[in-house]
Amino acid sequence: MKVCRTISEMVSFVSDVKINGSIVGFVPTMGALHDGHIDIVKRCVRENDITVVSLFVNPIQFNNNEDLLKYPRTESEDLSLLLNAGCSAVFIPSVEEMYPDEETMIYDLGGLGDVMEGACRPGHFNGVAVVCHKLFNIVDPDRAYFGEKDFQQLAIIRYMVKDLGLNIEIVPHPIVRNESGLAMSSRNARLGKLDLQAASFIYQVLLVGSKLANMGKVASEIEDCCKDMFNLNPYFDLDYFEIADSNTLKSTSTLDNARFFVAAYIGGVRLIDNKYVMDRLQMQ
Ligand code: AMP
């Protein structure tokens, strides 16, 4: 497994492997890898000749400096997990390598970046768009993999790739959850034992929401009920709970193509999750 710390090393690795027609799959991450990331990496390895993973904590997507400073960094563990998963190359640039000058690029994200995470974290999605566009230019992948855990991010990257006419297939990957239903996240490592146990409540609420939808309740009733569940649970400080269309990400009262989106603080850590509303398979 090749470790590249500069753009020129990464570019020359990819141009070498592309000479013989290899298909390159790419998994961008901020490191502190967990089973959710590794599931995506293993899929990428299965579906492509070459798998490139980036480990880069992107400062310009953090609107809260404390969150940036507390973001877990576990490079040597990440490297051994990636080696075992069959990754071909890892890109670990420094901040100076990615941003030699102050970043000024502003992307039009077609309104997808103004709601939910975008409304709560001003500038976040512009930072995501900037770093993904740069990484796409450097790694030049045929396919790039993004988790549905960050569903709004996935929608924005799809929009950007289409808008800019980039020749990259964006591949969505389902949310990987632990045995209690909690969506895996690098931020979970910051939770104490009790908060970690309590955090699985997020998925329980999403399941209740789907159950209510299947019972014929309308969106406003479901939303009220789910918000009440969070507000009555002393562990949680709810940021938002929304029912939004899976394509436009706009609030909707039509449940056919809708998803639940939630962001909540627990023990000072902000967690996000989402779920397709009418998903009968997960209702057992
Ligand atoms: P991050 O390092 O948090 O930026 O995540 C890197 C990629 O892994 C993103 O596309 C995330 O959506 C994806 N990801 C993170 N956690 C999960 C999870 N539990 N299930 C599926 N994808 C995930």
Side-chain angles (χ1 to χ4, degrees), residues 163-191:
D163 193 44
L164 297 174
L166 304 181
N167 189 22
I168 302 171
E169 182 191 348
I170 300 300
V171 185
H173 192 78
I175 299 176
V176 180
R177 301 179 179 281
N178 73 12
E179 58 292 340
S180 71
L182 176 64
M184 292 193 171
S185 165
S186 309
R187 290 195 163 85
N188 294 352
R190 285 169 48 195
L191 294 172

Side-chain angles (χ1 to χ4, degrees), residues 160-229:
M160 183 185 81
V161 163
K162 194 170 167 202
D163 193 44
L164 297 174
L166 304 181
N167 189 22
I168 302 171
E169 182 191 348
I170 300 300
V171 185
H173 192 78
I175 299 176
V176 180
R177 301 179 179 281
N178 73 12
E179 58 292 340
S180 71
L182 176 64
M184 292 193 171
S185 165
S186 309
R187 290 195 163 85
N188 294 352
R190 285 169 48 195
L191 294 172
K193 198 173 167 216
L194 287 179
D195 287 335
L196 190 60
Q197 282 167 1
S200 62
F201 182 75
I202 298 173
Y203 188 55
Q204 300 307 317
V205 177
L206 297 180
L207 290 177
V208 168
S210 284
K211 202 165 214 164
L212 292 173
N214 283 322
M215 284 163 58
K217 299 284 182 197
V218 299
S220 58
E221 290 173 305
I222 300 171
E223 204 169 297
D224 288 348
C225 173
C226 292
K227 282 181 178 169
D228 285 348
M229 287 178 75

Side-chain angles (χ1 to χ4, degrees), residues 105-110 112 125-137 146 153-168 170:
M105 192 76 183
I106 304 287
Y107 286 81
D108 179 351
L109 301 171
L112 293 171
F125 284 123
N126 197 65
V128 170
V130 167
V131 79
C132 286
H133 194 187
K134 278 193 187 229
L135 289 169
F136 290 165
N137 281 339
F146 286 84
Q153 169 174 278
L154 167 65
I156 281 168
I157 297 301
R158 273 188 170 135
Y159 177 90
M160 183 185 81
V161 163
K162 194 170 167 202
D163 193 44
L164 297 174
L166 304 181
N167 189 22
I168 302 171
I170 300 300

Side-chain angles (χ1 to χ4, degrees), residues 243-246 252-261 275-278:
I243 302 176
D245 182 84
S246 297
T252 179
S253 53
T254 315
L255 296 179
D256 292 346
N257 188 36
R259 292 187 89 90
F260 300 120
F261 292 89
K275 181 184 178 299
Y276 197 60
V277 172
M278 305 298 265

Side-chain angles (χ1 to χ4, degrees), residues 65-80:
N65 203 38
E66 197 189 333
D67 197 24
L68 171 62
L69 293 175
K70 284 190 176 166
Y71 203 85
R73 290 155 208 256
T74 57
E75 187 185 301
S76 55
E77 290 88 339
D78 291 350
L79 287 174
S80 66

